[in-house]
Amino acid sequence: MKNIQTSRRDFLKASGLTTFGLALGISGFTKDASLKKITPAVLKLEINPFIIIDTAGNITLVNPRPDMGQGSTQAVPSLLAEELEVSLEKVLIIQSDGKEKYGSQVSGGSSSVRELWLPIRKAGAAAREMLTTTAAKRWNVPVTECHAEDGAVFHKASGKSFTYGELADDASKLEIPSDPKLKDPKDFKIIGKYNKRLDVPDRVTGKAVYGIDIDVPGMVYASIVHSPAIHGKIVSIDDSEAKKIKGVLQVIKTERTMPHRTSEAVAVIATNWWAAVKGKKALVVKWDNGNYEKTVDTAGYFAETYEAAKKEGINYEEKGDFTVKYAAAKEKLEAQYETPFLAHAPIEPENAVAHVKEDGSVEIWAPVQGPDWTIRDVCAYMKIKPEQVKVNVTLLGGAFGRKAYHDFVLEACHISKEIKKPVKVIWTREDDITQGPYRPGMLSHMQGFVEDGKITGYHHHAIGESILGQVFKGLKEDEADSWIGEEISTGNTKYNFAAASKVSWTHVKTDIPIVWWRSVYASNFGWGQECFIDELAHLAKKDPLKARLEILPDERFRKVLETLAEKAGWDEKLAEGTGKGLAVFKSFNSISACCITVSKKGQGVKIDKVVSVIDCGYYVNPDNVKAQTEGNIVMGLTAAIKDGITFTNGACDQSNYHQYNIMRLNEMPAIEIHIVDSGSAPGGVGEPGLPPVAPALGNAVFAATGKRMRKLPFDIANLG
């Protein structure tokens, strides 16, 4: 713990914290940072890694999870502020920089609140105890007679008080409590309450700083030509026309380093972005695609998955002898459910500024999901030590998992090292969509049977490429993918199949790069699971809700489904040509259920209403829970009825939003979101609302039309 006499700007620089995006209040990361509002040359004290208090009373809270739209700039500091007894309007929020002292700093897996619920609250509570203890010592009174409130400590009997700034110096000399007392949830003033997102005005008015806004002195721009077949090799480069364009400085060979391989590319360097893009368009590059025209091919890949469905997979779990009991069953079903490859397509495409300096150190400004992972990957790539890398994390204009894959950052590092200047790399939308990585396309081979009107047997055979295998090289040929297995295991789904159940896996590889996509595998396998459970319910001649409740002993699941039934009017009589479908899925320790109502329209159906219910345990802001669930519904519907990603002859068939469509405002149905307050440990919010959406829609289509959809996406206007 250090006492530093310095200016605010110098302190932040010395701490390795970002300086380009600072402003008072939670509206940090703005272009007009209000540094001048802070009294200079005061004592800054780091009470613990997440809390900095100066002797003028100014409080800085460090947010260790980058904000990609999910609201971490408010949610995580709210945990600190709750226990520290300060309001967010009065503190400065800054982003952590990847240093080890902040712990895990990756925004992903809906992990921010659920993983930081205790550590960040303990940090705030520890600081509060240290400040309160200091005040009690000065007054020579018992600590129990003092309490913290609104950035100050008060003595109940005398009415005396000290501001945190007046106590900070002495408090910083105390040992940090290892097990401070946390507030009882009934006493929460911030957590669980509706609070305005104070960062929204800056985002709406354009003051917010995203990666694409960064401007570094001496910076040049780079636009990159990637192989259409992704992994193709360069045969020749004709840059004669590109170099004629005003502003183009040079053309160099560069590389795109992905976790599983490195591919060749060409960079056009220019004084401005427009010149770099024009130079890229004028460049003529010939590629040798080798055998990738066959291995980077979605039709061939899916053909392999369907062949794999004819064979036994590797068991992840089995209860009872499913194969024997399925063979003997009188009432049984078998079906395959397919989900496509999908691009992330965030509104802000991938971009990064990198400056590789003469001493070998690297400074980066980028919208990344994890500064600690960025440091790790840059160190491995540049063969340098963590202390030689500085990462300045900006706001992210969307990510959905894509910006935790650092190929674009490493491209910037490589180019900067080659040209010996800071360089800003910006991917075009076409780069983003045609190059990946993508959500993997997957196949669910489903088998099940019913006995005496009840679902008693179930087998989910998951087939496809593995993130664990391709990205992390962590999957042996003879083992089941544990990430997938856990997602669809009965331990996660809580379905109790009395006779037998089985989860198995077959690895079908592809050279198409993949990575996690919003809700990861839950979006793939929730489709097969929940549509097939519906099929089995109809085979048992049971209402789909009642059939589920019969095999769901878990009280949290039951409460979510019962709430959904009530809010969606499940038992109401429907008009002719109208149908309702539901689905439930657990992901990231949250349970989400969805009911969708559709009505016949021409050769297809119209989506009339979506009702979603989520039990995410304790949460910070109900408004943010609803906002994230709304986003999940939009993305879930898009994934169900809009374009997937396909490759033909090694090249992606989609290039921009005109071919990779998203839901438009005028297409959206009415939406209702309901939260079940279970008081359970915090679960995720950013992703769990998505997996039930597609199967609820598929089940609704069947209810309205009698047509069973088994392959995503499908044309909702023409069901064939």
Side-chain angles (χ1 to χ4, degrees):
M1 198 178 301
K2 296 180 180 178
N3 295 352
I4 306 173
Q5 185 71 42
T6 180
S7 72
R8 177 188 181 85
R9 182 183 294 272
D10 288 342
F11 169 77
L12 291 171
K13 285 183 178 179
S15 302
L17 299 170
T18 54
T19 59
F20 57 84
L22 305 177
L24 282 175
I26 199 166
S27 56
F29 308 94
T30 60
K31 298 170 186 174
D32 56 349
S34 304
L35 293 170
K36 61 185 179 180
K37 295 182 181 180
I38 303 300
T39 305
V42 293
L43 192 64
K44 313 290 194 306
L45 301 149
E46 186 180 280
I47 303 297
N48 58 49
F50 303 102
I51 300 170
I52 304 159
I53 302 175
D54 67 32
T55 52
N58 300 300
I59 300 171
T60 300
L61 302 183
V62 180
N63 172 33
R65 298 297 172 101
D67 197 307
M68 50 187 173
Q70 85 280 30
S72 71
T73 50
Q74 183 179 42
V76 178
S78 291
L79 302 177
L80 270 173
E82 181 69 78
E83 297 289 350
L84 189 59
E85 293 289 1
V86 296
S87 63
L88 286 172
E89 291 87 347
K90 296 182 179 180
V91 301
L92 175 73
I93 310 298
I94 56 178
Q95 178 61 50
S96 66
D97 57 2
K99 295 295 189 295
E100 188 177 350
K101 67 180 179 180
Y102 298 115
S104 173
Q105 295 155 69
V106 178
S107 285
S110 295
S111 63
S112 293
V113 171
R114 67 190 180 104
E115 288 186 0
L116 298 177
W117 176 254
L118 288 179
I120 295 296
R121 288 177 61 209
K122 283 184 176 181
R128 184 188 72 235
E129 282 191 11
M130 294 163 73
L131 293 160
T132 306
T133 298
T134 300
K137 285 181 178 180
R138 287 190 186 177
W139 291 319
N140 195 26
V141 300
V143 173
T144 54
E145 293 184 7
C146 306
H147 73 280
E149 183 179 344
D150 197 25
V153 178
F154 296 85
H155 181 227
K156 299 175 185 176
S158 66
K160 294 178 180 179
S161 65
F162 286 116
T163 66
Y164 285 174
E166 293 171 313
L167 299 167
D169 191 6
D170 288 341
S172 70
K173 298 169 186 175
L174 299 178
E175 184 177 349
I176 299 175
S178 60
D179 191 26
K181 184 178 180 181
L182 300 175
K183 293 174 70 173
D184 190 304
K186 68 180 176 57
D187 298 323
F188 285 161
K189 300 173 184 175
I190 299 173
I191 296 175
K193 314 297 182 185
Y194 170 78
N195 289 290
K196 289 183 179 179
R197 282 278 299 274
L198 301 178
D199 55 343
V200 169
D202 285 342
R203 302 187 190 211
V204 173
T205 59
K207 291 181 180 179
V209 175
Y210 292 86
I212 210 163
D213 297 320
I214 295 300
D215 191 357
V216 173
M219 179 183 81
V220 293
Y221 293 79
S223 188
I224 301 175
V225 178
H226 299 101
S227 169
I230 300 182
H231 306 300
K233 294 185 179 298
I234 297 170
V235 174
S236 64
I237 303 171
D238 181 353
D239 60 8
S240 55
E241 292 301 313
K243 287 183 174 179
K244 292 178 184 179
I245 294 170
K246 184 179 179 180
V248 171
L249 300 173
Q250 61 188 116
V251 176
I252 66 168
K253 186 176 177 180
T254 186
E255 60 189 27
R256 178 190 178 197
T257 301
M258 293 169 275
H260 66 301
R261 68 177 61 197
T262 296
S263 296
E264 297 179 348
V266 184
V268 178
I269 317 300
T271 57
N272 61 81
W273 170 239
W274 181 237
V277 172
K278 287 183 69 177
K280 173 182 177 178
K281 291 179 179 179
L283 202 64
V284 178
V285 182
K286 290 185 179 179
W287 301 92
D288 177 3
N289 293 329
N291 198 43
Y292 293 121
E293 290 184 355
K294 294 182 179 179
T295 60
V296 181
D297 177 75
T298 45
Y301 168 80
F302 278 112
E304 285 190 55
T305 66
Y306 279 92
E307 282 300 311
K310 300 175 183 177
K311 305 172 185 176
E312 286 290 319
I314 301 169
N315 270 15
Y316 176 80
E317 71 171 26
E318 185 168 14
K319 299 175 183 179
D321 193 330
F322 178 84
T323 302
V324 170
K325 293 187 177 181
Y326 179 77
K330 295 179 180 178
E331 294 183 282
K332 56 188 175 184
L333 283 177
E334 184 170 10
Q336 279 116 9
Y337 282 85
E338 179 185 321
T339 54
F341 288 83
L342 293 176
H344 302 76
I347 295 298
E348 178 197 33
E350 294 69 45
N351 65 88
V353 175
H355 187 191
V356 179
K357 302 174 185 178
E358 291 183 5
D359 63 1
S361 65
V362 182
E363 185 164 9
I364 293 163
W365 297 259
V368 291
Q369 287 180 234
D372 50 342
W373 281 18
T374 305
I375 290 175
R376 177 202 67 189
D377 290 350
V378 170
C379 285
Y381 179 67
M382 302 294 290
K383 295 179 172 56
I384 55 178
K385 298 177 180 178
E387 56 266 28
Q388 293 176 277
V389 183
K390 181 179 180 182
V391 178
N392 304 285
V393 183
T394 67
L395 295 171
L396 291 73
F400 312 117
R402 173 61 179 93
K403 291 171 185 172
Y405 191 97
H406 299 129
D407 51 345
F408 60 100
V409 176
L410 302 184
E411 281 184 335
C413 289
H414 182 267
I415 296 168
S416 177
K417 184 178 180 180
E418 291 292 309
I419 66 175
K420 297 178 173 56
K421 293 178 182 178
V423 62
K424 184 174 189 175
V425 169
I426 304 177
W427 281 32
T428 63
R429 176 60 55 206
E430 287 77 11
D431 291 326
D432 172 57
I433 289 180
T434 63
Q435 294 295 307
Y438 307 96
R439 182 192 79 170
M442 305 297 283
L443 185 69
S444 290
H445 174 217
M446 313 299 301
Q447 294 174 306
F449 56 87
V450 302
E451 297 171 309
D452 299 322
K454 185 177 181 180
I455 303 170
T456 58
Y458 175 87
H459 174 206
H460 193 157
H461 182 186
I463 305 168
E465 181 57 285
S466 164
I467 297 169
L468 181 60
Q470 188 190 93
V471 179
F472 293 95
K473 302 179 178 67
L475 185 64
K476 296 177 182 177
E477 292 293 333
D478 60 349
E479 70 176 341
D481 188 310
S482 58
W483 293 3
I484 293 174
E486 182 180 355
E487 192 82 74
I488 59 178
S489 70
T490 52
N492 188 60
T493 67
K494 302 300 182 185
Y495 284 127
N496 181 23
F497 302 103
S501 65
K502 181 177 176 181
V503 172
S504 62
W505 156 255
T506 297
H507 191 182
V508 174
K509 297 181 181 180
T510 177
D511 283 317
I512 300 171
I514 64 164
V515 79
W516 37 71
W517 184 90
R518 193 173 190 174
S519 81
V520 198
Y521 291 123
S523 69
N524 292 102
F525 298 118
W527 166 244
Q529 172 185 297
E530 287 300 291
C531 285
F532 192 65
I533 289 291
D534 242 53
E535 290 204 62
L536 291 173
H538 288 290
L539 179 64
K541 297 179 174 58
K542 284 278 178 67
D543 171 84
L545 173 63
K546 292 178 181 177
R548 283 174 172 82
L549 291 174
E550 278 185 345
I551 57 174
L552 269 174
D554 185 89
E555 287 303 318
R556 286 185 68 190
F557 269 86
R558 295 179 68 87
K559 179 66 173 178
V560 168
L561 280 173
E562 288 163 357
T563 302
L564 180 71
E566 175 194 345
K567 300 298 183 182
W570 179 259
D571 293 325
E572 295 174 359
K573 187 175 181 179
L574 297 176
E576 184 71 24
T578 300
K580 285 183 179 178
L582 62 79
V584 63
F585 204 87
K586 180 184 177 185
S587 57
F588 310 102
N589 291 340
S590 291
I591 303 166
S592 179
C594 181
C595 178
I596 295 181
T597 305
V598 302
S599 54
K600 287 184 179 180
K601 184 179 180 182
Q603 297 299 309
V605 298
K606 173 180 174 290
I607 304 173
D608 298 313
K609 189 175 183 179
V610 179
V611 178
S612 182
V613 174
I614 184 169
D615 174 358
C616 57
Y618 281 115
Y619 50 85
V620 175
N621 188 335
D623 191 58
N624 201 48
V625 175
K626 291 182 178 181
Q628 289 299 299
T629 305
E630 288 168 351
N632 275 305
I633 291 169
V634 174
M635 209 159 172
L637 290 176
T638 296
I641 65 174
K642 298 295 183 179
D643 308 293
I645 289 292
T646 57
F647 278 82
T648 305
N649 296 323
C652 185
D653 298 316
Q654 296 75 34
S655 64
N656 209 314
Y657 287 127
H658 69 296
Q659 295 163 316
Y660 189 71
N661 284 282
I662 60 176
M663 291 289 287
R664 309 287 174 163
L665 184 61
N666 65 341
E667 297 177 293
M668 286 304 298
I671 292 176
E672 283 184 18
I673 313 294
H674 301 278
I675 304 171
V676 173
D677 291 308
S678 65
S680 300
V685 168
E687 300 170 271
L690 192 150
V693 174
L697 177 60
N699 293 336
V701 168
F702 177 79
T705 68
K707 296 179 180 178
R708 179 61 69 180
M709 301 293 107
R710 294 195 179 94
K711 178 180 178 180
L712 295 181
F714 59 85
D715 184 355
I716 199 169
N718 186 5
L719 298 174

